[in-house]
Amino acid sequence: MQRLPSAFRILWIGEAVSLFGTATSATLLALLAVTKLNAGAGWMGLLAAATWSPWLILGLPIGALVDQVSPRSAMIASDLVAAGAAGVVPLLWATGTLSLPALLAVAFVLGLCAVVFRAALPRLVLRVVDVAHFGAANSRLYATESASTVVGPGVAGLIAQAVSAAVGVLLDAISFLVSAACLTRIRITSCSSGEPDAMTDDTLVRRVRAGAELVARDRYLRYFAGLAALQNFGLTGLLSLQVLFLVDELAAPQVVIGLVLACGGIGGAIGGLLGPRFARRLGTARAPVVLQLISCGSLLVLFATSGAGVVWMAAGLLLGQFAIVGDNVVRTTWRLSYVPEYLQARVSTTMQMLAFAAMPVSGLVSGWLGQQLGVRMALALMLGCYVAGALTMPFGPLKGRRDLPAPVSLRSEL
């Protein structure tokens, strides 16, 4: 395993702790909504929409603003605000005032903090890791994110059964504080070299437009953004309804729910670690195509039944997340070297805004479909959207290529 700089290792530790808390809290909030506040499919859709709508509403301006400030400072600030938002849940629970609208508000604030944190993260990685280690750094970040979902949901189920889901959200608040503390210890000795930002004194609108225009002109970035929008629409439907599916249709106890959801994390952790190997063996263009086709195994979720039949859902989540995370590692590593450093946050938030804009819509649509057609049929339709996107990969701009293109300065010819 490659040895990475100490600054990255500190960032990695902080991320691991924060992601564990986030994975735990996401499951706990869903369990609170379903088991304590009697939320149905409609409310679960709204909860998903609240989590992802900040990307749609504020993603582009946040990306432009984050490109103008220290990425570490932006990430610390987002961690502190997120800790306060998560801490509100147990407080409201203790006073008997917790409600579904309050959960929606907390989900929105946590989503907003995630926008800031994720916009700044690529720039911080660029400043603490040299280009030769981008693949190893991204592999560890994605593998850690997925591994946290192995432990988080399982712990969430145990906490909810032993104490209270609301009390468990305290773990998330504490994890954000730990992440902020780790970030304060990072010492950046030099900034990433690369093209200077010629738009430092430009208006916010023009800075936003610079990132959006690059994505619109570049056929690879444009295709990946559109693909992510379609696939995230489908995957958010799965995420919105999976707890309800396990509780209402499969009659799974809370501990089993945590274990089944953890299988997705196991697959993602393996995919995160093996993604760079796929790229080296198959090529950075062929690997995403193969992994996308493998991810169609997520359709196994639809075969799940009560009792031992939940193994089909576990298998679908494991296989799907293995391929999705492995693909993300390959493409994110490529994008870090492909896009100029000064445009990283803007390009990242532009692509994520396009990708995540579908998520709040998906939350509402999947909730409505669940009410009208039943949860299983709603899952079938949403997963169908995901698979439709995966099947375009062999025919898109990667067709016939072994590797994704090398970076070209300002790429005026695109």
Side-chain angles (χ1 to χ4, degrees):
M1 184 175 285
Q2 297 182 44
R3 183 174 178 81
L4 292 163
S6 60
F8 175 80
R9 293 198 297 273
I10 295 171
L11 170 62
W12 186 23
I13 292 170
E15 270 287 272
V17 175
S18 178
L19 288 169
F20 166 76
T22 299
T24 304
S25 181
T27 304
L28 289 169
L29 289 178
L31 286 171
L32 269 174
V34 173
T35 64
K36 301 299 182 183
L37 300 176
N38 300 314
W43 276 106
M44 297 306 290
L46 287 172
L47 189 62
T51 301
W52 298 108
S53 58
W55 289 98
L56 174 61
I57 300 170
L58 297 168
L60 292 179
I62 285 176
L65 291 171
V66 167
D67 265 334
Q68 292 183 290
V69 301
S70 161
R72 184 181 62 171
S73 298
M75 293 164 72
I76 291 172
S78 71
D79 270 336
L80 295 177
V81 174
V88 167
V89 174
L91 179 62
L92 293 177
W93 178 258
T95 58
T97 56
L98 185 64
S99 64
L100 287 169
L103 282 185
L104 295 183
V106 170
F108 181 86
V109 174
L110 291 177
L112 180 61
C113 292
V115 176
V116 176
F117 196 94
R118 293 301 172 191
L121 180 61
R123 290 185 61 222
L124 187 58
V125 172
L126 283 169
R127 296 187 180 198
V128 300
V129 178
D130 60 63
V131 67
H133 295 109
F134 283 170
N138 276 317
S139 176
R140 296 186 193 185
L141 287 173
Y142 275 99
T144 301
E145 181 175 1
S146 295
S148 70
T149 64
V150 175
V151 181
V155 171
L158 292 172
I159 292 173
Q161 191 161 312
V163 189
S164 164
V167 173
V169 180
L170 276 173
L171 289 173
D172 200 12
I174 294 170
S175 71
F176 284 123
L177 295 176
V178 172
S179 176
C182 289
L183 288 167
T184 61
R185 294 190 57 204
I186 295 176
R187 296 292 176 264
I188 302 173
T189 56
S190 64
C191 293
S192 173
S193 59
E195 300 171 75
D197 187 352
M199 303 184 68
T200 302
D201 298 323
D202 262 334
T203 65
L204 178 63
V205 172
R206 291 189 64 183
R207 292 178 62 82
V208 167
R209 191 169 62 192
E213 286 179 346
L214 178 56
V215 174
R217 292 198 320 268
D218 188 298
R219 68 190 186 114
Y220 298 99
L221 296 176
R222 184 174 64 242
Y223 171 75
F224 290 147
L227 176 67
L230 176 59
Q231 293 192 311
N232 283 348
F233 180 83
L235 286 176
T236 301
L238 172 62
L239 294 174
S240 300
L241 299 174
Q242 62 185 5
V243 171
L244 189 63
F245 184 57
L246 284 160
V247 172
D248 284 0
E249 297 231 358
L250 305 185
Q254 291 181 341
V255 172
V256 173
I257 292 172
L259 293 175
V260 170
L261 298 182
C263 288
I266 293 172
I270 297 171
L273 293 172
L274 296 184
R277 296 188 183 183
F278 269 77
R280 287 193 297 271
R281 190 172 187 85
L282 302 177
T284 57
R286 290 178 185 168
V289 174
V290 172
L291 288 166
Q292 281 282 334
L293 295 177
I294 293 173
S295 73
C296 295
S298 58
L299 290 172
L300 291 174
V301 167
L302 302 176
F303 293 93
T305 58
S306 59
V310 298
V311 70
W312 288 106
M313 183 168 185
L317 294 177
L318 189 149
L319 192 60
Q321 286 299 310
F322 160 77
I324 291 167
V325 174
D327 177 32
N328 283 339
V329 169
V330 175
R331 286 194 275 150
T332 302
T333 300
W334 164 76
R335 197 177 71 221
L336 280 174
S337 62
Y338 189 64
V339 175
E341 193 270 344
Y342 73 88
L343 283 169
Q344 280 288 336
R346 276 169 282 178
V347 168
S348 176
T349 51
T350 297
M351 295 189 70
Q352 289 173 327
M353 186 275 290
L354 293 171
F356 294 161
M359 290 182 162
V361 177
S362 174
L364 297 174
V365 170
S366 61
W368 180 81
L369 288 173
Q371 289 178 323
Q372 300 298 315
L373 305 176
V375 176
R376 189 182 297 270
M377 181 58 70
L379 285 175
L381 292 172
M382 303 310 286
L383 283 173
C385 291
Y386 174 83
V387 170
L391 295 178
T392 69
M393 282 289 274
F395 311 102
L398 303 190
K399 181 181 179 180
R401 297 191 66 106
R402 184 186 188 279
D403 292 300
L404 287 162
V408 180
S409 179
L410 295 179
R411 290 185 301 283
S412 58
E413 72 276 13
L414 294 174

